[in-house]
Amino acid sequence: MSQPESATADAQAGGPSDGTPSAGQEPLAKLAERYGLRRAIARPSLPVYLRQLWERRHFIMTYATSRNVSKYSNSALGQLWQVLTPLLNAAIYYLMFGLILGASKGTVSDYYPEFLITGMFVFTYTQRAVSGGAKSISSNLSLIRALHFPRAALPLAYTIQEFQQLVISMGVLVVLVLVTGQPLTWLWLLIPVALLMQTMFNIGASLVLARVGATARDLNQLLPFIMRTWLYASGVFFSIGDKVTSSAGLPQWVADVMYFNPAAAYMELMRHLLIAQHEIRPYIWFVCVFWAVFALLGGFWYFWRAEEKYGRG
Amino acid sequence: MAELTEELSRVKAEEPGVPSTDVRVHPNPEPPRHPRAGTPTVVVDDLHIIYRVYGAATDAEKGNAANALMRLLKRQGRPQMKEIHAIRGVSFVAHHGDAIGIVGRNGSGKSTLLRAIAGLLPPHSGAVYTDGQPSLLGVNAALMRELTGERNIVLGCYAMGMNPAQVKDKFDDIVDFSGIGEFVQFPMSTYSSGMGARLRFAIASAKKHDVLIIDEALATGDREFKRKSQERIKQMRAEAGTVFLVAHNLDVIEETCNRVIWLHKGKIKMDGDPKTVLAAYNKA
């Protein structure tokens, strides 16, 4: 762990020292080939990689659970924070946007509390999974430099950790929505489908950011910035349709473009499922499916392409 | 943290005097004497490894997102970024049945070389060819101090690539070998440094290896544990094709190795049988 620092002194002191042995008669690469030795670092093909990842499923699950357990092990309320954090967030945003700024106008004003809380919970899931993924490689360098495993296990474990938290949050959300007087409908049966699609997107996005974050170290400074912008652009506090067409007087296609944002689409879908009055445009379904498949496939491919480079200084 | 400082001070105390002049010793060229036709297991071919290190930032550029954005926009790197050429052209061939000790000052590139052999650090240029999957005897990085010993055993075993049946199989062995008894139910943060080291070694050595790489694992725990762990390593050597060993305790290297490589400033200074190399190393 400390070798980069301790190596500094030597590199600075480093005069040339003539210690390399001669390679002998035969080039070493030839010798290695003759005895069937393989390069220690070689990227496996994508199917092999996915199989290796599947073989490490126990590690991924245990690592995710362990992180969740150790995360709150120092606080008095312990695991209760998993519930309290989203609740407090919802309360603060309701105070700010619902009561003080009076954002609850337009078509969503009848059901603004559940509209806001649902959006908050859904967005938080994606936000935390993506931020975690961005750190998953760069903050685990010692692990990467000590053990062999498909590196995608780390961003995957971070997303699963957030998924485990989400399951608890969803329990809270369902209770809150029922308390606000929403009826149970058949649409609620589709909630797992919506969560599955969002999870697929989150895995893909965190894989992409894991690779970016592994080399671009400044990403961690920049990420809160990006996340807040994303939060405001995704319509957590307001209905995008209302804001764009009624308040700003822009044409409908602007709203359609904004709904193509995956976070906005997953929020809209979940609101549609949970809130009886909340109608969405049908293409939201398509957007959700598209992002789930595209992000998952693209994310794995993009991450796998740099597999052998993770862990370099 | 305390453990690290403790280790550092121990290492520093055992470090031989810094050589004032470069003693140029020409190493034995690779194949002068091994009539016993050991086939190669590890071939290291003109290996170079370069680390990029980020120095401490000044106050002006620390911290917030806006500064980071400005730097990205201006396409500036961090001015403090330094490249450390840790391994500078190392070549050697290791054979079946070899136990190779690696000696050198702190920062001479020993750990880096081992990690490169294990396939954990990508080479800048050159290559490492291996027969089978070399494994580093080290699982510490996967463990979490806040968790109980039990959870850490399971986590560590999975991190090394075991399946649930193997973990169940090895669990009691690991607890017995570590000798921590009922402490296995307490968080690792409550362990003494010796207990922690014992548990880590017990977990790390629970798995069989093709090419085994041991980085400073022998100097942990009390006398009794040292004896047990040395036995365990001998047993592991018998199963492994090749063993690489880094230890600042030169006795351990003399006892267990049939070949020693002396690294200095990222290059091989000497490569040969333990007596010759260790004698020269002690003189330097």
Side-chain angles (χ1 to χ4, degrees):
Chain A
M1 271 158 286
S2 62
Q3 71 268 47
E5 287 83 3
S6 56
T8 318
D10 267 9
Q12 283 162 350
S17 80
D18 199 29
T20 322
S22 60
Q25 310 89 332
E26 188 182 16
L28 289 174
K30 283 262 176 59
L31 178 80
E33 196 188 291
R34 191 151 57 84
Y35 285 99
L37 307 187
R38 285 164 322 188
R39 286 180 77 119
I41 289 189
R43 170 158 43 100
S45 69
L46 196 51
V48 174
Y49 187 69
L50 293 177
R51 208 192 60 225
Q52 287 176 350
L53 203 57
W54 173 247
E55 283 163 3
R56 289 303 182 119
R57 63 192 180 279
H58 301 292
F59 170 59
I60 298 172
M61 294 307 292
T62 313
Y63 193 69
T65 317
S66 301
R67 281 183 52 88
N68 251 341
V69 170
S70 73
K71 188 173 174 183
Y72 297 109
S73 65
N74 284 329
S75 54
L77 294 177
Q79 304 298 312
L80 204 57
W81 280 108
Q82 297 201 27
V83 180
L84 287 179
T85 310
L87 264 181
L88 288 174
N89 267 330
I92 288 169
Y93 284 117
Y94 180 65
L95 195 71
M96 274 305 287
F97 292 89
L99 300 181
I100 298 177
L101 294 178
S104 54
K105 284 179 234 149
T107 53
V108 297
S109 57
D110 296 339
Y111 50 91
Y112 190 70
E114 51 265 52
F115 174 90
L116 175 71
I117 293 167
T118 308
M120 204 58 228
F121 278 41
V122 170
F123 187 83
T124 305
Y125 176 37
T126 290
Q127 182 197 28
R128 293 176 61 126
V130 169
S131 322
K135 282 182 294 189
S136 62
I137 296 295
S138 52
S139 62
N140 279 303
L141 284 179
S142 57
L143 184 55
I144 287 174
R145 287 178 186 159
L147 290 171
H148 281 281
F149 56 88
R151 305 315 186 197
L154 288 173
L156 214 54
Y158 276 65
T159 310
I160 288 172
Q161 181 196 347
E162 294 307 332
F163 181 76
Q164 290 171 340
Q165 297 218 358
L166 174 83
V167 172
I168 297 171
S169 306
M170 281 311 288
V172 177
L173 178 61
V174 163
V175 171
L176 284 179
V177 169
L178 287 175
V179 165
T180 57
Q182 289 294 333
L184 263 172
T185 64
W186 287 109
L187 279 178
W188 286 46
L189 289 177
L190 287 173
I191 291 174
V193 178
L195 287 181
L196 175 73
M197 289 193 292
Q198 198 194 350
T199 304
M200 286 166 70
F201 169 77
N202 286 356
I203 290 172
S206 67
L207 283 166
V208 169
L209 277 170
R211 175 169 170 186
V212 175
T215 46
R217 284 152 188 263
D218 288 357
L219 184 69
N220 273 339
Q221 325 285 51
L222 200 57
L223 208 58
F225 232 47
I226 299 170
M227 283 302 163
R228 217 167 311 149
T229 315
W230 198 12
L231 173 75
Y232 295 140
S234 302
V236 177
F237 321 113
F238 57 88
S239 159
I240 290 179
D242 277 5
K243 207 61 165 187
V244 168
T245 50
S246 319
S247 314
L250 292 167
Q252 176 64 35
W253 64 264
V254 178
D256 291 347
V257 168
M258 288 183 76
Y259 278 129
F260 193 67
N261 166 2
Y266 291 119
M267 275 191 288
E268 279 298 290
L269 182 61
M270 189 58 80
R271 284 164 179 161
H272 175 58
L273 298 182
L274 284 175
I275 304 169
Q277 308 96 305
H278 194 73
E279 288 302 327
I280 56 169
R281 299 171 153 264
Y283 65 78
I284 294 280
W285 279 97
F286 166 77
V287 173
C288 291
V289 173
F290 167 80
W291 277 113
V293 175
F294 176 75
L296 190 66
L297 296 182
F300 264 110
W301 182 80
Y302 181 71
F303 187 88
W304 162 79
R305 296 268 296 169
E307 172 73 7
E308 73 275 24
K309 299 203 183 79
Y310 302 120
R312 163 180 255 163
Chain B
M1 218 40 207
E3 207 178 310
L4 186 69
T5 13
E6 181 190 289
E7 189 189 37
L8 272 181
S9 58
R10 179 173 50 72
V11 164
K12 286 272 191 287
E14 281 164 7
E15 186 184 327
V18 180
S20 51
T21 54
D22 254 322
V23 188
R24 294 184 186 223
V25 185
H26 268 284
N28 308 339
E30 192 274 312
R33 26 111 226 131
H34 42 65
R36 37 187 185 85
T39 53
T41 51
V42 175
V43 173
V44 178
D45 182 10
D46 193 25
L47 183 69
H48 287 261
I49 299 227
I50 296 179
Y51 277 112
R52 257 169 284 155
V53 176
Y54 294 81
T58 57
D59 277 347
E61 50 175 29
K62 228 176 226 170
N64 67 32
N67 280 336
L69 180 65
M70 285 311 290
R71 266 205 309 278
L72 281 189
L73 289 179
K74 288 183 192 160
R75 295 186 165 270
Q76 282 176 347
R78 297 270 292 260
Q80 295 86 0
M81 200 182 78
K82 282 196 184 110
E83 293 205 331
I84 308 298
H85 205 147
I87 297 287
R88 316 170 163 231
V90 166
S91 303
F92 66 88
V93 178
H95 299 87
H96 269 292
D98 269 355
I100 301 179
I102 297 181
V103 296
R105 291 170 46 203
N106 280 347
S108 56
K110 300 183 297 289
S111 299
T112 309
L113 178 61
L114 291 190
R115 295 211 151 94
I117 293 172
L120 297 162
L121 268 182
H124 179 75
S125 69
V128 177
Y129 303 91
T130 57
D131 177 19
Q133 177 65 76
S135 16
L136 195 71
L137 188 69
V139 71
N140 312 356
L143 307 183
M144 298 181 194
R145 288 175 51 78
E146 304 83 16
L147 301 183
T148 62
E150 278 171 342
R151 268 181 181 277
N152 269 310
I153 292 175
V154 175
L155 180 63
C157 287
Y158 282 145
M160 294 190 300
M162 293 190 188
N163 61 37
Q166 287 167 320
V167 174
K168 207 180 251 175
D169 198 39
K170 296 276 183 195
F171 188 89
D172 291 337
D173 281 355
I174 294 174
V175 178
D176 282 352
F177 187 81
S178 68
I180 57 171
E182 69 213 16
F183 266 91
V184 78
Q185 286 158 11
F186 296 132
M188 268 185 89
S189 50
T190 63
Y191 290 12
S192 73
S193 64
M195 281 160 65
R198 264 149 51 193
L199 182 62
R200 286 195 294 267
F201 181 79
I203 297 173
S205 64
K207 199 179 171 240
K208 284 190 177 171
H209 308 277
D210 297 331
V211 176
L212 179 61
I213 298 170
I214 303 170
D215 190 356
E216 290 285 351
L218 296 183
T220 56
D222 51 22
R223 181 186 289 271
E224 164 67 5
F225 186 75
K226 223 173 244 180
R227 190 188 56 75
K228 263 164 77 181
S229 59
Q230 223 149 356
E231 237 164 62
R232 172 72 69 101
I233 279 171
K234 268 187 193 144
Q235 181 196 335
M236 289 167 84
R237 259 187 63 197
E239 292 160 4
T242 308
V243 176
F244 289 90
L245 177 63
V246 166
H248 281 282
N249 188 346
L250 299 183
D251 296 347
V252 175
I253 291 199
E254 200 160 9
E255 266 171 44
T256 42
C257 298
N258 66 337
R259 178 178 168 189
V260 174
I261 291 176
W262 174 8
L263 272 188
H264 184 66
K265 291 178 182 169
K267 294 186 174 187
I268 293 184
K269 191 150 183 178
M270 208 172 170
D271 177 2
D273 71 287
K275 275 207 183 108
T276 326
V277 178
L278 290 180
Y281 179 63
N282 277 331
K283 245 185 265 166

